[in-house]
Amino acid sequence: EAGVAQSPRYKIIEKRQSVAFWCNPISGHATLYWYQQILGQGPKLLIQFQNNGVVDDSQLPKDRFSAERLKGVDSTLKIQPAKLEDSAVYLCASSLRSEGDDEQFFGPGTRLTVL
Amino acid sequence: SQQGEEDPQALSIQEGENATMNCSYKTSINNLQWYRQNSGRGLVHLILIRSNEREKHSGRLRVTLDTSKKSSSLLITASRAADTASYFCATDITGTASKLTFGTGTRLQVTL
């Protein structure tokens, strides 16, 4: 079974530039998550989709971050414009359902450095 | 905000020893999960314990949950160098639409 795919693996940009990350979840998984993990901290949920609908985006900085999951499969996360504090690893995860006892499967992450 | 706080922040042991890490949380939960993260990689699910369970085993892993103290512990027995990683607890908080909230993590170093 193929895992969660993310690209790019690394990205370096200057502040005020825009950047986009892509995620392909495990086939058949209804729920997709984007997390932000700052160095030395645990992952923080940014947005949760079930199929192509948003379940939770309460911690997404909506003035600069946006995400979409077209057709309920792949997803993109965009930051525009980026700030220095956005430097982090962005993790995508998926699960079969959207229940709290579901195992989440994580991709390798995209490491973003904002200069 | 971080719901769980792991203790210790870092732990260094020798191969063959047991490693114990603790997680404390603040609010009522449906379940608690433990994840492992190797350096530069995504997280891998290890074990889930429900709020009505007190102890669970999986291979060399033993997890306990004390809801009265709002705490959990993860024991790794007979540790191996390959267990070197960061370990996170994640809580499914009651009433939050099945959202996991991760703790701050324990960095485990197992030396030969």
Side-chain angles (χ1 to χ4, degrees):
Chain A
E1 176 181 82
V4 176
Q6 290 187 248
S7 68
R9 290 295 312 277
Y10 305 92
K11 190 74 177 179
I12 300 174
I13 61 172
E14 295 191 348
K15 60 183 179 183
R16 291 188 288 275
Q17 287 186 323
S18 62
V19 63
F21 312 126
W22 173 82
C23 172
N24 180 236
I26 292 173
S27 178
H29 279 195
T31 307
L32 184 147
Y33 314 79
W34 282 103
Y35 290 89
Q36 178 193 60
Q37 186 176 23
I38 293 172
L39 186 65
Q41 298 182 18
K44 182 182 82 172
L45 179 69
L46 293 176
I47 189 166
Q48 176 180 345
F49 291 95
Q50 182 174 359
N51 297 312
N52 60 350
V54 175
V55 174
D56 188 321
D57 64 356
S58 58
Q59 298 191 97
L60 186 74
K62 298 180 185 64
D63 58 335
R64 297 184 301 105
F65 286 64
S66 65
E68 60 181 9
R69 189 183 185 197
L70 299 176
K71 300 180 182 178
V73 182
D74 293 5
S75 177
T76 55
L77 176 69
K78 297 179 182 178
I79 307 175
Q80 182 179 7
K83 293 185 175 180
L84 296 177
E85 58 261 37
D86 298 332
S87 292
V89 175
Y90 291 84
L91 296 164
C92 178
S94 68
S95 64
L96 191 58
R97 306 167 298 157
S98 64
E99 305 301 321
D101 59 355
D102 268 356
E103 176 180 349
Q104 294 187 20
F105 294 83
F106 283 79
T110 296
R111 183 176 298 277
L112 173 67
T113 301
V114 182
L115 302 175
Chain B
S1 64
Q2 306 281 181
Q3 149 83 332
E5 296 286 337
E6 277 93 334
D7 171 59
Q9 289 188 335
L11 179 62
S12 183
I13 60 174
Q14 290 192 321
E15 203 172 45
E17 293 181 336
N18 295 342
T20 300
M21 50 205 87
N22 305 294
C23 168
S24 60
Y25 56 91
K26 299 173 184 174
T27 58
S28 178
I29 62 172
N30 298 315
N31 64 73
L32 184 145
Q33 303 181 33
W34 285 90
Y35 284 79
R36 182 187 72 224
Q37 185 176 37
N38 292 89
S39 179
R41 304 273 185 91
L43 285 83
V44 174
H45 180 266
L46 295 176
I47 195 165
L48 176 150
I49 187 164
R50 301 182 188 282
S51 60
N52 62 353
E53 297 175 314
R54 291 298 166 258
E55 187 171 313
K56 206 161 182 182
H57 297 257
S58 176
R60 294 183 297 113
L61 305 180
R62 173 179 168 254
V63 170
T64 62
L65 178 64
D66 186 336
T67 53
S68 66
K69 295 181 179 178
K70 292 187 171 57
S71 68
S72 173
S73 67
L74 172 68
L75 169 68
I76 304 174
T77 59
S79 63
R80 305 166 181 168
D83 295 327
T84 294
S86 290
Y87 292 81
F88 295 91
C89 66
T91 49
D92 172 21
I93 301 171
T94 304
T96 60
S98 304
K99 176 174 79 174
L100 284 185
T101 303
F102 284 81
T104 52
T106 292
R107 291 181 300 281
L108 174 65
Q109 177 76 42
V110 181
T111 57
L112 295 173

